[in-house]
Amino acid sequence: MIQTVYIIGIGLIGGSLAKDIKKSRPDITIHGIDTSAQHLNEALELGIIDEKTTVEAIDKADLIILSTPVDAAVKLLPMLLDRVSDFGLVVDVGSTKSEICKVANAHAKRRNFLAMHPIAGTEFSGPKAAVANLFQQKTNIVCEIEKTAFKLQEKALNLFASLGMRMRYMHPESHDKHIAYMSHLSHISAFMLGKTVIEKEKNERDIFDMAGSGFESTVRLAKSSPAMWTPIFKQNKDNVIETLQEYISNLTHFKTLLESDDFEGVYKEMDETNYIKQILNGIQ
Amino acid sequence: MIQTVYIIGIGLIGGSLAKDIKKSRPDITIHGIDTSAQHLNEALELGIIDEKTTVEAIDKADLIILSTPVDAAVKLLPMLLDRVSDFGLVVDVGSTKSEICKVANAHAKRRNFLAMHPIAGTEFSGPKAAVANLFQQKTNIVCEIEKTAFKLQEKALNLFASLGMRMRYMHPESHDKHIAYMSHLSHISAFMLGKTVIEKEKNERDIFDMAGSGFESTVRLAKSSPAMWTPIFKQNKDNVIETLQEYISNLTHFKTLLESDDFEGVYKEMDETNYIKQILNGIQ
C-alpha cells in the first residue's frame, strides 16, 4: 500500500494531484518539495501538502511524483532513481515523454520509474492554481508500462484510477508526435493570436471592449506559463515545428482563397472543418 | 413605444434577441420572418416568436431587426427601407458594418435605419441555439448614430439597454478594422487549427482521446456556421487579409526561433503575450 507520497513541484498539476490523493486516500501523507520557498509555504498553508521536505529524504517515499517543468524533470530523474528505495516508484507527469524515457532507460533502476501524462490542466500555475477533481474522466497517457516493475505499476495505476483517470498506453515517440497536434500547437496558436492582437491594438485600449467570448476562448491558453512551456517546446522541437509548418500552410492557403475571391473555397474549408463537432462530441 | 417587433432571420442572434425582448417587454408582439420554413416553425414551437409573417407586412412594424447573414442583409435593406413606415426603424446586427452603412446612406429613408453589432454569440446556429440573457453586460457597437432619426434611436437604444447591452459608438470603418482582429481572426485561427489536426489525425481516431480542455477551447469556434461566416469574410476581406498576414508572420517568426534554438526568444514571446491576462481581466 502506498502510504507516503512525495511531490516535487507543487504547482497546478502537482498540487491538484495532492488534493485528489488526499481526498481518495486520507491515510496517505503528502510531502512537498519545491525550488520556490514561497510556493512551498503556500502549499502548506492551503493544506495541499502535510509537510515540507527535500530530495535528501526521498528514500522514505512509496511514490514520488515529478511535476516540475520538463527540463528540470530530466535533470532530476537520475538522482531520484539513485536515491529511491527498491519499493518506491518515481512517476513523471510532464507533457513530453521521449526525453524523460531515454534518461530513465539509461538508468539501472528503470523498473522504479513510470512515465505518464495526465491530459488535464488550466491556463494558471502555482499551488493556488491547484483544483480538486481535475483528473476526473481525463485521459492519462502511460508510456513503456512494461519497463516498470509489475507490483509498482499496479499500486500506482490503482491510485491514479481512483482519481478518475482513464489510462491509455502509448509509445513515448507516438505520444510526442500526437500531443504536438493535440496540445502544443493549440498553445502556440493562442499565444500568437494574443501577440497579433496586442501589437495591433496597443495604442487603443478601448478596443478591447470589442473582445467577445469567442476571442477569450481562442486566446485563453496565451495566459499559460512560459517557464513551463519553453522547455516543452524545446524537448518536442521537431514535432512542434512540423505542426507549425502545416498550420502556417493551411492559414496561407485560406488567405490565398480570400485574395483570389474564391469564397466557395472559403465556405468549403469551414464546412469540412465543422467535422470537429463530431470529434469533440465523441470525446465528451 | 415599441409594440410590434419583426425579426428577419430567427437564428442564434435573432432568436436570442426575441427571447430577451419578450422577457423585458411582455407586451411586445414578435413577428418572425425566415427563408427556412423549418426554422420559422421551430421558432414558433419554441415560443421564440408569436407569429410567422413575411416582408410584405413590415410596414406595420415599429422595429425591424435584420439578423440574417450579412450578404442577405445588404440585399434586403433597400427593400425594407422602401416599405418601413415613417415611424418604424430597421436595425441590423451583423458582424460587418461598412457595406451595410454604405447601402443605407444611399437610401432616402436613411433616418429609419440603425447599424449595430452586439458582440455576443456562441458557436451554434439556428433557432434552437437561441439563449436567454445572451446580451447581459455585452458591448453593442453602434455606428453613425447621428444619421438615425432622434426619436427612433432613443426608443431602440432604450430597449437594447434594457437587455443589458453597453453601447459603444464607432465609425463603421473603424469597427470593421478592429473587429477583424478581435473576432474574425479568432475564427480563422480556430478553423485552421481544426483543419490541421483533422488532416493529421484522420486515420487515427483514438488520438482524439488526447484532446484536453485546451484544444477544445482553442478550436471551439471551428464549429461555427460557414453560411454565416463566408459573407463576413467576403465583406471584410481587406481587413481580414491584413490580420491573417500579421498572424502568419508572427507564427513564422516563432517557428524560426524554434529552428534556431533561440529558447530565450521563445520564452520572451510568451512572457510578453501573458499581458493578455490583464486585458481579459479588464474586460470582465
Side-chain angles (χ1 to χ4, degrees):
Chain A
M1 282 282 279
I2 292 168
Q3 293 292 347
T4 314
V5 173
Y6 281 53
I7 299 182
I8 308 180
I10 303 286
L12 164 67
I13 298 298
S16 299
L17 282 168
K19 282 194 168 187
D20 283 0
I21 290 172
K22 202 73 195 167
K23 200 172 139 197
S24 169
R25 289 274 314 277
D27 57 308
I28 285 180
T29 317
I30 313 255
H31 303 250
I33 299 172
D34 204 294
T35 50
S36 158
Q38 192 201 326
H39 277 185
L40 209 49
N41 287 330
E42 272 176 24
L44 196 63
E45 282 159 27
L46 292 165
I48 293 172
I49 59 171
D50 297 309
E51 285 178 34
K52 300 194 281 182
T53 186
T54 62
V55 286
E56 282 73 27
I58 65 153
D59 58 309
K60 298 182 197 76
D62 297 321
L63 178 67
I64 299 156
I65 296 172
L66 186 47
S67 45
T68 63
V70 297
D71 53 344
V74 295
K75 276 185 211 143
L76 283 168
L77 184 62
M79 182 269 284
L80 297 174
L81 286 175
D82 288 346
R83 293 177 188 230
V84 71
S85 92
D86 285 348
F87 313 101
L89 179 70
V90 181
V91 172
D92 111 280
V93 295
S95 286
T96 47
K97 297 270 70 76
S98 294
E99 210 161 312
I100 193 101
C101 283
K102 265 186 217 143
V103 170
N105 290 341
H107 199 282
K109 285 162 84 179
R110 174 63 183 85
R111 291 162 49 81
N112 296 80
F113 174 70
L114 181 67
M116 66 185 219
H117 178 198
I119 300 186
T122 70
E123 66 275 32
F124 305 112
S125 49
K128 285 180 183 156
V131 283
N133 302 316
L134 183 62
F135 306 99
Q136 206 61 47
Q137 291 300 312
K138 297 287 160 57
T139 298
N140 184 31
I141 312 282
V142 178
C143 294
E144 300 189 306
I145 185 72
E146 70 286 356
K147 296 187 179 174
T148 306
F150 180 69
K151 284 188 183 170
L152 295 176
Q153 44 168 284
E154 190 177 35
K155 281 197 290 190
L157 293 183
N158 282 344
L159 179 64
F160 293 125
S162 80
L163 312 187
M165 291 181 189
R166 303 174 313 176
M167 311 304 160
R168 294 286 182 274
Y169 300 91
M170 200 176 277
H171 191 273
E173 284 175 20
S174 291
H175 169 276
D176 285 4
K177 181 173 158 256
H178 293 301
I179 205 72
Y181 285 92
M182 302 307 296
S183 161
H184 302 175
L185 179 59
S186 299
H187 283 80
I188 299 176
S189 154
F191 269 110
M192 291 303 104
L193 175 65
K195 182 183 174 177
T196 306
V197 172
I198 289 171
E199 273 180 347
K200 193 63 186 184
E201 308 293 1
K202 62 187 155 195
N203 297 319
E204 305 189 54
R205 291 296 306 275
D206 284 352
I207 245 54
F208 285 102
D209 264 359
M210 294 177 85
S213 57
F215 175 68
E216 273 189 77
S217 159
T218 319
V219 85
R220 179 172 68 86
L221 297 178
K223 301 178 195 172
S224 303
S225 157
M228 174 183 161
W229 280 95
T230 304
I232 291 173
F233 294 142
K234 190 172 180 179
Q235 284 192 15
N236 206 22
K237 180 183 138 173
D238 293 344
N239 289 314
V240 169
I241 288 172
E242 186 189 306
T243 66
L244 256 179
Q245 185 53 60
E246 287 168 27
Y247 185 51
I248 291 168
S249 150
N250 283 327
L251 286 162
T252 305
H253 177 64
F254 195 89
K255 185 163 81 73
T256 308
L257 291 173
L258 290 175
E259 284 164 345
S260 55
D261 288 317
D262 182 357
F263 292 101
E264 265 180 55
V266 165
Y267 183 97
K268 198 160 159 278
E269 290 279 300
M270 292 193 280
D271 193 45
E272 286 171 3
T273 306
N274 272 173
Y275 175 64
I276 205 80
K277 281 185 220 178
Q278 277 98 302
I279 292 170
L280 293 175
N281 287 340
I283 61 167
Q284 275 163 352
Chain B
M1 281 282 279
I2 292 169
Q3 292 292 349
T4 315
V5 173
Y6 280 53
I7 299 182
I8 308 180
I10 303 287
L12 164 66
I13 298 297
S16 300
L17 281 169
K19 281 193 170 189
D20 283 0
I21 290 173
K22 201 74 196 169
K23 202 172 136 198
S24 169
R25 290 276 313 278
D27 57 309
I28 285 179
T29 316
I30 312 252
H31 302 251
I33 299 171
D34 205 294
T35 50
S36 157
Q38 192 201 326
H39 277 185
L40 208 50
N41 286 330
E42 273 176 25
L44 195 63
E45 281 158 27
L46 292 164
I48 293 173
I49 59 171
D50 298 307
E51 287 178 35
K52 301 194 279 182
T53 186
T54 61
V55 285
E56 281 72 28
I58 65 154
D59 59 307
K60 297 181 197 76
D62 297 320
L63 178 66
I64 299 156
I65 297 172
L66 187 47
S67 46
T68 63
V70 295
D71 53 344
V74 295
K75 274 184 214 144
L76 282 168
L77 184 61
M79 181 269 285
L80 297 174
L81 286 175
D82 289 345
R83 291 176 189 231
V84 70
S85 91
D86 284 347
F87 312 101
L89 178 70
V90 181
V91 172
D92 112 279
V93 295
S95 286
T96 47
K97 297 270 72 78
S98 294
E99 209 161 312
I100 193 104
C101 283
K102 264 184 220 146
V103 170
N105 290 342
H107 199 281
K109 284 162 86 180
R110 174 63 183 85
R111 291 164 49 83
N112 295 79
F113 173 70
L114 180 67
M116 65 184 218
H117 177 199
I119 301 186
T122 71
E123 67 274 32
F124 306 113
S125 49
K128 284 180 183 157
V131 283
N133 301 317
L134 183 63
F135 306 98
Q136 205 62 46
Q137 290 302 309
K138 297 288 163 52
T139 297
N140 183 33
I141 312 281
V142 178
C143 294
E144 299 188 308
I145 184 73
E146 71 284 359
K147 296 188 179 172
T148 305
F150 179 70
K151 284 188 183 169
L152 295 176
Q153 45 168 283
E154 190 176 35
K155 281 197 290 188
L157 293 183
N158 282 345
L159 178 65
F160 294 125
S162 79
L163 314 187
M165 292 181 189
R166 303 174 314 174
M167 310 306 158
R168 294 287 182 272
Y169 300 90
M170 199 176 276
H171 191 274
E173 284 176 21
S174 292
H175 168 277
D176 286 5
K177 179 172 158 259
H178 294 302
I179 205 73
Y181 285 91
M182 302 308 296
S183 162
H184 302 174
L185 179 59
S186 298
H187 284 79
I188 299 176
S189 154
F191 269 111
M192 292 303 102
L193 175 65
K195 181 182 176 180
T196 306
V197 172
I198 288 171
E199 273 180 349
K200 193 62 184 185
E201 308 293 3
K202 60 187 156 195
N203 297 318
E204 304 188 57
R205 291 295 305 274
D206 284 353
I207 245 55
F208 285 103
D209 264 359
M210 295 176 85
S213 56
F215 176 68
E216 273 189 77
S217 157
T218 319
V219 85
R220 180 172 69 86
L221 296 178
K223 301 178 194 172
S224 302
S225 156
M228 174 182 161
W229 280 94
T230 305
I232 291 173
F233 294 143
K234 189 171 179 179
Q235 285 193 14
N236 206 21
K237 180 182 140 175
D238 293 343
N239 289 312
V240 168
I241 287 173
E242 185 189 306
T243 67
L244 255 179
Q245 185 52 60
E246 286 168 28
Y247 185 52
I248 290 168
S249 151
N250 283 327
L251 287 161
T252 305
H253 177 64
F254 195 88
K255 184 164 82 73
T256 307
L257 292 173
L258 290 174
E259 284 164 344
S260 55
D261 289 316
D262 182 356
F263 292 100
E264 264 180 56
V266 166
Y267 182 97
K268 199 160 158 276
E269 291 277 302
M270 292 191 280
D271 193 44
E272 287 171 2
T273 306
N274 273 172
Y275 174 63
I276 205 80
K277 281 184 221 179
Q278 278 98 298
I279 293 171
L280 293 176
N281 287 341
I283 62 166
Q284 274 163 354

